[in-house]
Amino acid sequence: SQLSGGQRRFDLVTVNLSHVRLRAKQLDRHTLIHALRGYQSYYNEPRWNEGVEPYREVDFNVVPGRVFFQTNLSVMTAPDQALRTVLNWDDLLGSSRQGAVFLVAEMAPDNPSARASRGTQALIQLTDLGLVWKSSRAHYWISVFSYRTGRPLAGVTVRLLTDDNEVLLEKITGPKGMAELPRHEKGAWQIGRAHV
């Protein structure tokens, strides 16, 4: 997560590359859970546990969402010297101040149809909503607050969803930013949505 009212930038660091292909998809409420679930598969790589992080990408084409940005960057620098490229959310997202983005930066292959051998990916949620929860055997207690002010947020719809993005339960937070939901055996995700 990144704060929508924060620096509104994302830093890309490259080493020993000359060109990078940068692509981004914007995810919506109906595609976010599927994207998060797919992104989790990255951590299923057995070598992760050995302290090695191979580039085992989530296929950009199968992540649901709208492609809103793609470009090739020239990032040539001296050998073994890191180059920091700042990506500005206001430039990338335009008038959309918040949202979820799947961002992929890969070594630009000579053949455009070839798979990249080096790269990185991030699923960023640019938001002002913070959710903190605790649970018992019977209930979830969810507190929603503003990252910008640190204060509780009333009137936010909190939903409990299955792994298949089915809404099981929902409740609107009260004056203290709290919502109480009963536990559900199929509950896998919690999501908050502010009304403007």
Side-chain angles (χ1 to χ4, degrees), residues 78-179:
D80 299 329
Q81 187 174 38
L83 176 69
R84 184 178 305 274
T85 302
V86 175
L87 306 174
N88 187 302
W89 288 124
D90 290 334
D91 294 340
L92 294 179
L93 290 172
S95 61
S96 296
R97 305 265 320 147
Q98 306 178 114
V101 174
F102 181 58
L103 186 67
V104 177
E106 299 172 314
M107 178 181 71
D110 296 331
N111 178 354
S113 62
R115 289 184 67 173
S117 60
R118 288 185 278 176
T120 189
Q121 299 179 322
L123 202 159
I124 302 106
Q125 296 180 76
L126 195 64
T127 182
D128 183 52
L129 295 182
L131 271 70
V132 178
W133 63 91
K134 65 179 183 178
S135 60
S136 69
R137 292 181 182 175
H139 293 90
Y140 294 104
W141 291 273
I142 303 161
S143 174
V144 182
F145 62 93
S146 164
Y147 279 124
R148 185 176 55 82
T149 66
R151 294 185 176 156
L153 290 175
V156 175
T157 300
V158 176
R159 293 186 175 103
L160 180 66
L161 300 107
T162 69
D163 225 16
D164 288 320
N165 201 38
E166 176 191 356
V167 177
L168 295 169
L169 303 162
E170 70 176 38
K171 192 155 188 186
I172 296 176
T173 57
K176 295 184 178 179
M178 294 291 295

